Amino acid sequence: MIDADKWADYLIAAVADRNAVAPIVPVVGELPLDDAYAIQAAVLDRRLTAGDALAGAKLGLTSVAKQQQMGVDEPCYGWVYASSVLSAGDDGVAEVKVSDLIHPRCEPEFVFVMAQDCGGSDVTGDDVLDASASVVGGIEVIDSRFEKFSFTLADVVADNTSAARVVIGSDGVAPRSTDLQAITCEFEVDGVITGSATGAALLGDPAACVAMLARHLAKYDRKLEAGWTVMAGAPTDAQPLTVGTQATARYGGLGAVSIRGV
Ligand code: OOG
Ligand code: MG
C-alpha cells in the first residue's frame, strides 16, 4: 500500500511553494488507481483539517479535446474545495491571482448545482437531472502540480485532477428545460476563439458524466450532496492563463463567464 500521507504532503508542498514537482509514477514505479485515489483522499483530509470545506466534486478528461491535449484517455474524478471557488467582480469578471499558482490554464466547464443528494452504484443521468437545481456555465482554472503539466492518469488523480480555481456563471437553467447535449460553448481567450463544442462533447452527455462521478463516489460510501457545485469536465482544450489574460466562456442559453489573470 502506498504511503498516501507522504505523497499528500509532497503535493501540498508543491501548492504552497508554487513549485512544480516530479510526477509520482516514475518515482514509485507503479501506482494503481486505488492508491492514487487514496493520495487524493489524504490531500482532502489535510485540507479539511486546515479549515477548508468541500464545495463539490468534478470530473476531468471527459472530452476528446481534453484527452488528446493531455495524452490521457480516461476520465478522472476529484474534489472542489470551497477555497477554490471565486466570484465575479463588479465588472462581471472574476480575477485570478496568477502568482498564487504554478502554471495555470483555464478551460470552460458545464457545471451542475445539486438540489438534492444523489448517490448509489446505479445512478443514471436521469437521476442526476432529477437531483440538480440548475446547470450553469463556468470556467475552471487548472494548475497541475507536476512539472511541464505532464502526467499519467494515476498522477493526475493523486493531484486532485489539477483542480485550482473555479468560477460559475449566474445564468443557470433548470436541468430539464434544455437539451444539455446541444448547448453550445465557445471559449475566447484574448479575443481569439480557441475552441467551440456542445454538451455532447462530454462523452455524449454531461448528465451521464455526472452520473459516472456519483457511481465512483459510491465506491467510497459517498454521494453528490445537495448544494454542491459539480463540474462535468471541459468540452474544449485548456489555454494558458497569465497576468493580463482575459478568457470568456459563452454558452448558448447559459450566458457567459469571464476571468482575468491578475
Ligand atoms: C486534468 C484536469 C482535467 C477537465 O475538465 O478535463 C479537467 C488536466 O487537464 O490537468 O479538469
Ligand atoms: Mg476541468
Side-chain angles (χ1 to χ4, degrees):
M1 189 65 192
I2 192 89
D3 186 346
D5 287 336
K6 170 182 138 182
W7 291 108
D9 287 341
Y10 177 77
L11 291 167
I12 286 172
V15 175
D17 302 343
R18 285 147 206 153
N19 193 25
V21 291
I24 299 169
V25 171
V27 180
V28 298
E30 199 197 351
L31 185 62
L33 272 188
D34 282 348
D35 285 358
Y37 279 108
I39 297 171
Q40 186 191 99
V43 174
L44 171 64
D45 273 356
R46 278 161 160 61
R47 294 262 178 241
L48 297 183
T49 303
D52 212 334
L54 211 45
K58 61 166 283 193
L59 292 112
L61 309 177
T62 46
S63 67
V64 171
K66 282 288 307 191
Q67 292 186 355
Q68 284 182 346
Q69 182 180 31
M70 304 321 297
V72 176
D73 61 4
E74 265 180 81
C76 50
Y77 314 96
W79 303 110
V80 175
Y81 295 112
S83 62
S84 75
V85 182
L86 304 179
S87 1
D90 291 342
D91 60 353
V93 180
E95 295 193 335
V96 181
K97 205 167 158 217
V98 174
S99 58
D100 284 348
L101 300 166
I102 304 167
H103 41 200
R105 295 178 178 178
C106 53
E107 57 188 24
E109 288 280 342
F110 288 96
V111 183
F112 289 68
V113 178
M114 305 310 296
Q116 295 159 29
D117 290 358
C118 179
S121 55
D122 54 359
V123 169
T124 64
D126 261 337
D127 297 330
V128 168
L129 296 176
D130 287 341
S132 299
S134 60
V135 177
V136 296
I139 293 181
E140 182 181 23
V141 176
I142 51 173
D143 191 31
S144 175
R145 268 54 71 172
F146 299 123
E147 292 157 352
K148 301 196 174 93
F149 229 110
S150 173
F151 43 70
T152 62
L153 177 64
D155 285 308
V156 74
V157 162
D159 186 26
N160 194 35
T161 66
S162 309
R165 304 284 185 270
V166 59
V167 185
I168 67 170
S170 43
D171 300 327
V173 293
R176 289 198 190 275
S177 68
T178 187
D179 177 358
L180 298 181
Q181 279 136 291
I183 290 184
T184 55
C185 166
E186 192 177 73
F187 199 44
E188 182 180 316
V189 181
D190 292 332
V192 177
I193 307 290
T194 60
S196 54
T198 63
L202 304 183
L203 298 173
D205 177 10
C209 292
V210 176
M212 284 172 49
L213 168 59
R215 295 195 299 270
H216 161 80
L217 293 178
K219 288 193 254 165
Y220 304 91
D221 291 322
R222 300 198 71 136
K223 54 186 185 301
L224 301 173
E225 295 181 21
W228 274 14
T229 295
V230 180
M231 283 186 265
T236 74
D237 58 7
Q239 298 295 321
L241 178 74
T242 57
V243 174
T245 302
Q246 171 120 4
T248 298
R250 270 184 218 95
Y251 300 87
L254 300 181
V257 183
S258 296
I259 63 168
R260 185 187 309 116
V262 295

